[in-house]
Amino acid sequence: MMIGADLRRAAVFHAVAAAGGIAAAARIIGKSPPAVHADLRRFERDVGVPLIERAGRGLRLTPKGRLMFETVGAALDSIERTRSAVAGPDPIAEPLRLGAVTGFGRYRLAPRLLRAWPPSRSLRLRSGRHDDLLALLLAGEIDFAVTYRPVVAAPIDSIEVAKEDLVLVAAASGAGVADAALAGKLPFITYDEYEYVFARWFAEAQGRQPSTLRRHDHFDELEEALASVAAGRGVTIAPADAAAAFGLAPAGTSCRNTIFLCATATRLRSADAAWIAACLAD
């Protein structure tokens, strides 16, 4: 609707509506009344609907004009705040844009970052699967990805930043749970990208992969899988931090998993990368 409407005419419209008339607005913004009237009418033509109508000897906003007045006012306020910040002596800090695999991101990374992150700088954290995070990184939508797989494909590189424990969990842990899981006797609750976590745990903690895997419930999110386990519907393998948040204790040996920080080589040498690594250091 406003593709053809420029900011200068939008500001003139806002001034006329705020002042209650063309002559009053002209005095405030330092233009002649005919010039203000021309800008106002051109703005209305660009928008495509009447925004101001006559009411006796004065002017008043139409219903759509009131909506436009509020929107333009908010935009002008935002521009003024940004102008003041840009003109000020302090540097503008860009937000830290992070992506992380769900279990580690929500239950280890986010709590540590939020305890130490400066209030004056914004933080944007997204969670998802490894492949999704890599796609966001390559598209420039995030600056760093925290994931359990190293990436060595140009232009992305990786550094090790943390370790996490992967654990087998059940609603009621007892002797023989791990053996029963390896023998394929227990129903498993799975979630997106469970294949990597399960394969890693069986290889490291059990020394071999199960011959069969009985899948019961499946969810997109790790949290739903852990809720299903807590309800007694089966077992799963998950990061220990996430399992503990659901009151689930390890049922057998845990295995150590490596977490990597992925970004361009330049970003991996930045102060932000060093800060993330320091937050995650044990």
Side-chain angles (χ1 to χ4, degrees):
M1 181 175 66
M2 287 192 61
I3 292 176
D6 65 30
L7 184 60
R8 179 179 61 81
R9 295 193 183 100
V12 169
F13 155 73
H14 191 270
V16 171
I22 290 175
R27 287 192 297 271
I28 293 171
I29 62 179
K31 297 183 69 172
S32 68
V36 170
H37 184 269
D39 282 339
L40 174 62
R41 294 311 172 204
R42 177 60 185 271
F43 182 73
E44 285 187 311
R45 287 198 300 270
D46 289 343
V47 173
V49 295
L51 302 175
I52 292 179
E53 61 186 5
R54 288 218 167 264
R57 302 182 65 179
L59 299 175
R60 69 182 177 191
L61 290 166
T62 66
K64 292 181 179 179
R66 285 194 294 273
L67 176 60
M68 183 62 70
F69 176 77
E70 294 172 0
T71 301
V72 171
L76 292 174
D77 287 344
S78 178
I79 290 170
E80 177 57 25
R81 287 193 300 271
T82 303
R83 184 204 63 77
S84 298
V86 170
D90 297 327
I92 303 296
E94 294 184 354
L96 178 63
R97 303 181 304 164
L98 273 171
V101 285
T102 303
F104 188 85
R106 293 181 182 172
Y107 297 99
R108 177 85 69 83
L109 177 64
R112 292 195 179 192
L113 288 181
L114 292 173
R115 282 197 297 268
W117 192 243
S120 59
R121 189 178 175 195
S122 62
L123 175 66
R124 298 175 186 174
L125 179 61
R126 302 173 68 168
S127 61
R129 300 179 301 173
H130 170 85
D131 290 342
D132 295 335
L133 297 177
L134 183 57
L136 291 172
L137 196 58
L138 291 170
E141 295 186 34
I142 57 176
D143 301 317
F144 298 95
V146 181
T147 181
Y148 44 70
R149 300 182 194 174
V151 180
V152 292
I156 306 302
D157 207 344
S158 309
I159 57 173
E160 181 180 330
V161 289
K163 296 284 189 181
E164 70 173 353
D165 289 326
L166 300 179
V167 295
L168 173 71
V169 289
S173 299
V177 173
D179 291 337
L182 186 60
K185 296 179 180 179
L186 295 176
F188 270 88
I189 312 301
T190 59
Y191 50 90
D192 276 3
E193 290 211 307
Y194 76 94
E195 293 98 335
Y196 173 85
V197 175
F198 281 31
R200 176 79 177 172
W201 185 84
F202 277 113
E204 296 295 324
Q206 299 294 298
R208 63 188 176 92
Q209 301 296 323
S211 56
T212 59
L213 188 73
R214 290 176 54 200
R215 291 177 57 184
H216 188 44
D217 296 342
H218 177 81
F219 301 93
D220 291 341
E221 299 294 337
L222 172 62
E223 283 81 358
E224 281 82 356
L226 290 170
S228 179
V229 172
R233 296 176 58 82
V235 299
T236 196
I237 301 165
D241 294 317
F246 282 77
L248 299 169
T253 306
S254 65
C255 86
R256 296 286 276 170
N257 189 46
T258 303
I259 299 295
F260 297 91
L261 181 66
C262 305
T264 62
T266 300
R267 286 197 184 277
L268 288 179
R269 293 192 296 269
S270 69
D272 281 343
W275 191 87
I276 294 168
C279 279
L280 294 176
D282 292 327

PDB file of all heavy atoms in Angstrom, residues 46-59:
ATOM      1  N   ASP A  46      -0.721   8.234  -2.670  1.00  0.00           N
ATOM      2  CA  ASP A  46       0.191   7.093  -2.585  1.00  0.00           C
ATOM      3  C   ASP A  46      -0.390   5.975  -1.734  1.00  0.00           C
ATOM      4  O   ASP A  46      -0.263   4.793  -2.061  1.00  0.00           O
ATOM      5  CB  ASP A  46       1.538   7.525  -1.999  1.00  0.00           C
ATOM      6  CG  ASP A  46       2.352   8.380  -2.960  1.00  0.00           C
ATOM      7  OD1 ASP A  46       2.027   8.374  -4.168  1.00  0.00           O
ATOM      8  OD2 ASP A  46       3.298   9.054  -2.504  1.00  0.00           O
ATOM      9  N   VAL A  47      -1.021   6.350  -0.611  1.00  0.00           N
ATOM     10  CA  VAL A  47      -1.619   5.351   0.266  1.00  0.00           C
ATOM     11  C   VAL A  47      -2.853   4.731  -0.388  1.00  0.00           C
ATOM     12  O   VAL A  47      -3.109   3.527  -0.275  1.00  0.00           O
ATOM     13  CB  VAL A  47      -1.970   5.982   1.624  1.00  0.00           C
ATOM     14  CG1 VAL A  47      -2.752   5.001   2.493  1.00  0.00           C
ATOM     15  CG2 VAL A  47      -0.695   6.405   2.346  1.00  0.00           C
ATOM     16  N   GLY A  48      -3.637   5.549  -1.060  1.00  0.00           N
ATOM     17  CA  GLY A  48      -4.781   5.028  -1.810  1.00  0.00           C
ATOM     18  C   GLY A  48      -6.118   5.196  -1.144  1.00  0.00           C
ATOM     19  O   GLY A  48      -7.139   4.748  -1.699  1.00  0.00           O
ATOM     20  N   VAL A  49      -6.159   5.822   0.029  1.00  0.00           N
ATOM     21  CA  VAL A  49      -7.436   6.055   0.715  1.00  0.00           C
ATOM     22  C   VAL A  49      -7.405   7.435   1.367  1.00  0.00           C
ATOM     23  O   VAL A  49      -6.327   7.950   1.697  1.00  0.00           O
ATOM     24  CB  VAL A  49      -7.709   4.985   1.803  1.00  0.00           C
ATOM     25  CG1 VAL A  49      -7.887   3.611   1.184  1.00  0.00           C
ATOM     26  CG2 VAL A  49      -6.594   4.967   2.848  1.00  0.00           C
ATOM     27  N   PRO A  50      -8.566   8.075   1.589  1.00  0.00           N
ATOM     28  CA  PRO A  50      -8.592   9.352   2.318  1.00  0.00           C
ATOM     29  C   PRO A  50      -8.145   9.149   3.757  1.00  0.00           C
ATOM     30  O   PRO A  50      -8.568   8.211   4.427  1.00  0.00           O
ATOM     31  CB  PRO A  50     -10.064   9.772   2.247  1.00  0.00           C
ATOM     32  CG  PRO A  50     -10.644   8.996   1.110  1.00  0.00           C
ATOM     33  CD  PRO A  50      -9.906   7.700   1.093  1.00  0.00           C
ATOM     34  N   LEU A  51      -7.288  10.028   4.225  1.00  0.00           N
ATOM     35  CA  LEU A  51      -6.771   9.940   5.592  1.00  0.00           C
ATOM     36  C   LEU A  51      -7.258  11.083   6.479  1.00  0.00           C
ATOM     37  O   LEU A  51      -7.370  10.913   7.694  1.00  0.00           O
ATOM     38  CB  LEU A  51      -5.234   9.943   5.576  1.00  0.00           C
ATOM     39  CG  LEU A  51      -4.565   8.821   4.771  1.00  0.00           C
ATOM     40  CD1 LEU A  51      -3.059   9.033   4.743  1.00  0.00           C
ATOM     41  CD2 LEU A  51      -4.898   7.463   5.366  1.00  0.00           C
ATOM     42  N   ILE A  52      -7.532  12.239   5.867  1.00  0.00           N
ATOM     43  CA  ILE A  52      -7.984  13.420   6.598  1.00  0.00           C
ATOM     44  C   ILE A  52      -9.200  13.988   5.886  1.00  0.00           C
ATOM     45  O   ILE A  52      -9.237  14.059   4.649  1.00  0.00           O
ATOM     46  CB  ILE A  52      -6.867  14.479   6.693  1.00  0.00           C
ATOM     47  CG1 ILE A  52      -5.732  13.972   7.585  1.00  0.00           C
ATOM     48  CG2 ILE A  52      -7.395  15.796   7.231  1.00  0.00           C
ATOM     49  CD1 ILE A  52      -4.565  14.931   7.727  1.00  0.00           C
ATOM     50  N   GLU A  53     -10.216  14.377   6.655  1.00  0.00           N
ATOM     51  CA  GLU A  53     -11.415  14.953   6.078  1.00  0.00           C
ATOM     52  C   GLU A  53     -11.774  16.243   6.804  1.00  0.00           C
ATOM     53  O   GLU A  53     -11.332  16.484   7.929  1.00  0.00           O
ATOM     54  CB  GLU A  53     -12.580  13.956   6.171  1.00  0.00           C
ATOM     55  CG  GLU A  53     -12.929  13.566   7.597  1.00  0.00           C
ATOM     56  CD  GLU A  53     -13.971  12.470   7.660  1.00  0.00           C
ATOM     57  OE1 GLU A  53     -14.352  11.954   6.588  1.00  0.00           O
ATOM     58  OE2 GLU A  53     -14.398  12.127   8.778  1.00  0.00           O
ATOM     59  N   ARG A  54     -12.580  17.078   6.145  1.00  0.00           N
ATOM     60  CA  ARG A  54     -12.990  18.343   6.758  1.00  0.00           C
ATOM     61  C   ARG A  54     -14.065  18.082   7.803  1.00  0.00           C
ATOM     62  O   ARG A  54     -14.935  17.233   7.642  1.00  0.00           O
ATOM     63  CB  ARG A  54     -13.516  19.305   5.706  1.00  0.00           C
ATOM     64  CG  ARG A  54     -12.415  19.856   4.819  1.00  0.00           C
ATOM     65  CD  ARG A  54     -12.672  21.333   4.493  1.00  0.00           C
ATOM     66  NE  ARG A  54     -11.482  21.948   3.911  1.00  0.00           N
ATOM     67  CZ  ARG A  54     -10.605  22.626   4.613  1.00  0.00           C
ATOM     68  NH1 ARG A  54     -10.777  22.799   5.917  1.00  0.00           N
ATOM     69  NH2 ARG A  54      -9.543  23.161   4.024  1.00  0.00           N
ATOM     70  N   ALA A  55     -13.960  18.828   8.902  1.00  0.00           N
ATOM     71  CA  ALA A  55     -14.956  18.779   9.969  1.00  0.00           C
ATOM     72  C   ALA A  55     -15.233  20.222  10.376  1.00  0.00           C
ATOM     73  O   ALA A  55     -14.504  20.806  11.178  1.00  0.00           O
ATOM     74  CB  ALA A  55     -14.459  17.966  11.145  1.00  0.00           C
ATOM     75  N   GLY A  56     -16.238  20.833   9.750  1.00  0.00           N
ATOM     76  CA  GLY A  56     -16.496  22.241   9.986  1.00  0.00           C
ATOM     77  C   GLY A  56     -15.386  23.074   9.364  1.00  0.00           C
ATOM     78  O   GLY A  56     -15.084  22.958   8.185  1.00  0.00           O
ATOM     79  N   ARG A  57     -14.733  23.887  10.180  1.00  0.00           N
ATOM     80  CA  ARG A  57     -13.638  24.723   9.681  1.00  0.00           C
ATOM     81  C   ARG A  57     -12.280  24.071   9.916  1.00  0.00           C
ATOM     82  O   ARG A  57     -11.245  24.658   9.595  1.00  0.00           O
ATOM     83  CB  ARG A  57     -13.681  26.082  10.385  1.00  0.00           C
ATOM     84  CG  ARG A  57     -15.007  26.813  10.175  1.00  0.00           C
ATOM     85  CD  ARG A  57     -15.008  28.166  10.844  1.00  0.00           C
ATOM     86  NE  ARG A  57     -14.038  29.069  10.242  1.00  0.00           N
ATOM     87  CZ  ARG A  57     -13.867  30.340  10.644  1.00  0.00           C
ATOM     88  NH1 ARG A  57     -14.587  30.801  11.658  1.00  0.00           N
ATOM     89  NH2 ARG A  57     -12.978  31.099  10.046  1.00  0.00           N
ATOM     90  N   GLY A  58     -12.296  22.882  10.491  1.00  0.00           N
ATOM     91  CA  GLY A  58     -11.044  22.193  10.768  1.00  0.00           C
ATOM     92  C   GLY A  58     -10.919  20.882  10.010  1.00  0.00           C
ATOM     93  O   GLY A  58     -11.673  20.601   9.076  1.00  0.00           O
ATOM     94  N   LEU A  59      -9.938  20.081  10.400  1.00  0.00           N
ATOM     95  CA  LEU A  59      -9.678  18.787   9.784  1.00  0.00           C
ATOM     96  C   LEU A  59      -9.715  17.704  10.855  1.00  0.00           C
ATOM     97  O   LEU A  59      -9.417  17.941  12.011  1.00  0.00           O
ATOM     98  CB  LEU A  59      -8.290  18.780   9.104  1.00  0.00           C
ATOM     99  CG  LEU A  59      -8.067  19.784   7.978  1.00  0.00           C
ATOM    100  CD1 LEU A  59      -6.612  19.720   7.520  1.00  0.00           C
ATOM    101  CD2 LEU A  59      -9.013  19.526   6.802  1.00  0.00           C
TER     102      LEU A  59
END
